[in-house]
């Protein structure tokens, strides 16, 4: 299951974010109403995009979803009857797993659409292979191992009032999110554009039993926080921040270690996903990397779809010429 295509995610996304960006949102009726595939937001001239932004790590089925083929066929069926639902000239979906982009692209080409897909961003992840946390840490780079061992002792001993909390219960979410927001405001990160959405998602995850909200405390002051959620055997690392004033304690590294231990030894997940981006620090924790893709498809039977396809073909031609002449 991909939580970014869950009913919980779609509902909160539509409530907090889409209302500012789109005229209409349509959840295609795929594989039963209880299994929404993607929210589509309507743009101009028959252009439909995935209702997704920087919060969304994956649209549609995950790479290993056994229902992937059925979901893709269901979405293609929705386009086949688009006259009864919505006229679609251009479809813009991202970020997609590669097998989804390939299968959906093949089906649309067979229906006469112009299709292209390209990489969006890298996605680092860990396949646990049944490893314990101790085995996992023994395989990390020596610098990470050393930092974890030295800095974790302080939190384990409780010196300077240091403590780690992992919040899973709905009753503690409000306090945990207060701590997260306080840390985020002191971190290097830019202000959160939709803080109410993040807080609402944390509450929704707690209600589903998914939430793993970690907070590192020093003398009752929150110094690092991370929002993880674990769904169907996969742990997703969603948000993280630390207070730079406490950088000498490496609270972010220590907290990460505790949450990895929770995922590997307690939740027994088979995968841990660092979601979007190629940040250097992710390589030290993860074992694999894959790409997420954007699919752009134009219905050449539609005047605007044909025009957009012509623009895209011209762009491809220019890139080929530029590459051929080394410019």
């Amino acid at each position: 299951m991909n939580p970014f295509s869950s009913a919980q995610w779609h509902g909160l996304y539509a409530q907090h974010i889409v209302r500012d960006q789109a005229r209409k949102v349509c959840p295609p009726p795929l594989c039963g109403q209880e299994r929404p595939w993607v929210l589509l937001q309507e743009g101009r001239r028959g252009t439909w995009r995935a209702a997704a932004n920087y919060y969304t790590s994956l649209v549609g089925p995950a790479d290993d979803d056994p229902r992937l083929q059925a979901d893709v066929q269901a979405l293609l069926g929705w386009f086949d009857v688009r006259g009864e639902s919505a006229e679609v000239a251009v479809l813009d979906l991202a970020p997609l797993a590669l097998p989804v982009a390939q299968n959906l692209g093949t089906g649309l080409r067979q229906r006469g659409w112009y299709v292209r897909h390209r990489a969006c961003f890298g996605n680092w992840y860990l396949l646990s292979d049944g490893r314990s946390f101790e085995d996992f840490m023994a395989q990390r780079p020596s610098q990470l191992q050393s930092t974890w061992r030295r800095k974790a002792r302080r939190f384990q001993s409780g010196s300077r009032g240091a403590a780690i909390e992992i919040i899973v219960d709905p009753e503690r979410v409000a306090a945990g999110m207060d701590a997260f927001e306080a840390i985020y405001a002191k971190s290097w990160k830019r202000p959160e554009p939709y803080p109410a959405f993040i807080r609402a998602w944390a509450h929704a995850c707690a209600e589903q039993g998914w939430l793993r909200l970690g907070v590192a405390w020093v003398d009752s002051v929150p110094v690092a926080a991370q929002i993880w959620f674990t769904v169907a055997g996969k742990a997703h690392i969603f948000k993280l921040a630390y207070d730079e004033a406490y950088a000498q304690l490496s609270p972010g590294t220590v907290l990460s270690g505790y949450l990895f231990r929770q995922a590997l030894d307690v939740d027994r997940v088979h995968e841990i996903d660092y979601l979007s981006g190629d940040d250097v620090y992710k390589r030290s924790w993860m074992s694999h990397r894959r790409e997420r893709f954007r699919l752009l498809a134009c219905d050449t039977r539609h005047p605007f779809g044909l025009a957009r396809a012509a623009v895209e073909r011209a762009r491809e031609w220019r890139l080929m010429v530029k590459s051929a002449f080394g410019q």
Side-chain angles (χ1 to χ4, degrees):
M1 174 186 174
N2 172 20
F4 298 102
S5 285
S6 67
Q8 292 85 0
W9 178 271
H10 285 168
L12 293 174
Y13 195 97
Q15 178 184 348
H16 291 275
I17 299 173
V18 172
R19 60 184 174 84
D20 296 335
Q21 302 176 359
R23 294 187 289 118
K24 185 177 181 182
V25 175
C26 176
L30 303 176
C31 298
Q33 294 294 335
E34 74 282 0
R35 293 198 58 236
W37 198 90
V38 62
L39 281 182
L40 296 176
Q41 56 188 56
E42 182 187 16
R44 298 177 58 192
R45 299 179 179 177
T47 298
W48 288 74
R49 294 181 174 85
N53 67 2
Y54 34 79
Y55 291 138
T56 311
S57 176
L58 185 65
V59 165
D63 308 70
D64 58 354
D65 192 327
R67 298 165 298 193
L68 185 151
Q69 291 286 353
D71 284 357
V72 168
Q73 290 304 313
L75 184 61
L76 291 169
W78 183 78
F79 291 129
D80 289 340
V81 295
R82 63 192 178 280
E84 300 176 13
S85 52
E87 189 175 7
V88 181
V90 177
L91 176 67
D92 192 348
L93 293 181
L96 297 171
L98 179 58
V100 178
Q102 290 174 330
N103 281 274
L104 189 55
T106 297
L108 289 170
R109 286 190 186 96
Q110 291 172 347
R111 287 159 171 78
W113 291 53
Y114 164 84
V115 178
R116 64 188 296 250
H117 63 265
R118 62 174 182 266
C120 291
F121 54 78
N123 166 232
W124 287 88
Y125 64 104
L126 171 77
L127 297 177
S128 67
D129 297 323
R131 283 174 289 186
S132 68
F133 174 72
E134 291 303 326
D135 291 340
F136 162 74
M137 283 303 297
Q139 297 166 354
R140 296 308 98 207
S142 57
Q143 183 176 358
L144 177 59
Q145 290 186 50
S146 175
T147 300
W148 157 252
R149 291 194 183 101
R150 288 185 295 106
K151 302 299 184 179
R153 289 193 195 102
R154 178 167 293 174
F155 284 86
Q156 291 166 348
S157 67
S159 61
R160 287 190 60 185
I164 299 290
E165 178 182 16
I166 299 179
I167 296 168
V168 299
D169 296 325
E171 294 76 14
R172 283 289 296 159
V173 174
M177 287 305 300
D178 287 344
F180 171 80
E181 290 174 359
I183 296 163
Y184 202 94
K186 296 177 182 177
S187 74
W188 71 98
K189 296 177 178 286
R190 287 179 287 183
E192 186 64 65
Y194 294 96
F197 170 76
I198 301 300
R199 182 175 283 262
W201 177 242
H203 278 281
C205 286
E207 293 293 339
Q208 294 293 319
W210 300 344
L211 185 67
R212 307 292 184 265
L213 170 54
V215 183
W217 303 85
V218 174
D219 292 332
S220 301
V221 176
V223 298
Q226 298 185 18
I227 302 173
W228 291 36
F229 46 92
T230 297
V231 185
K234 292 185 182 181
H236 305 261
I237 307 173
F238 184 52
K239 285 283 180 178
L240 66 166
Y242 68 89
D243 186 342
E244 293 180 286
Y246 292 85
Q248 75 279 5
L249 299 177
S250 301
T253 299
V254 173
L255 182 56
S256 289
Y258 273 85
L259 285 162
F260 272 90
R261 175 179 283 162
Q262 168 76 31
L264 294 171
D265 289 354
V266 180
D267 296 328
R268 305 294 296 172
V269 301
H270 59 83
E271 184 177 321
I272 301 175
D273 192 335
Y274 241 132
L275 304 182
S276 308
D278 278 312
D279 310 81
V280 174
Y281 68 87
K282 295 179 179 179
R283 303 181 186 186
S284 298
W285 293 101
M286 296 292 148
S287 60
H288 294 76
R289 181 187 181 277
R290 60 195 163 202
E291 294 278 356
R292 297 307 188 198
F293 287 83
R294 176 192 177 195
L295 180 141
L296 182 72
C298 307
D299 187 349
T300 55
R301 295 165 297 182
H302 189 288
F304 183 71
L306 181 61
R308 180 66 183 272
V311 170
E312 295 297 329
R313 286 194 179 99
R315 183 175 296 161
E316 285 186 279
W317 183 83
R318 286 196 300 271
L319 289 173
M320 285 192 300
V321 170
K322 190 174 182 179
S323 175
F325 287 94
Q327 296 178 349

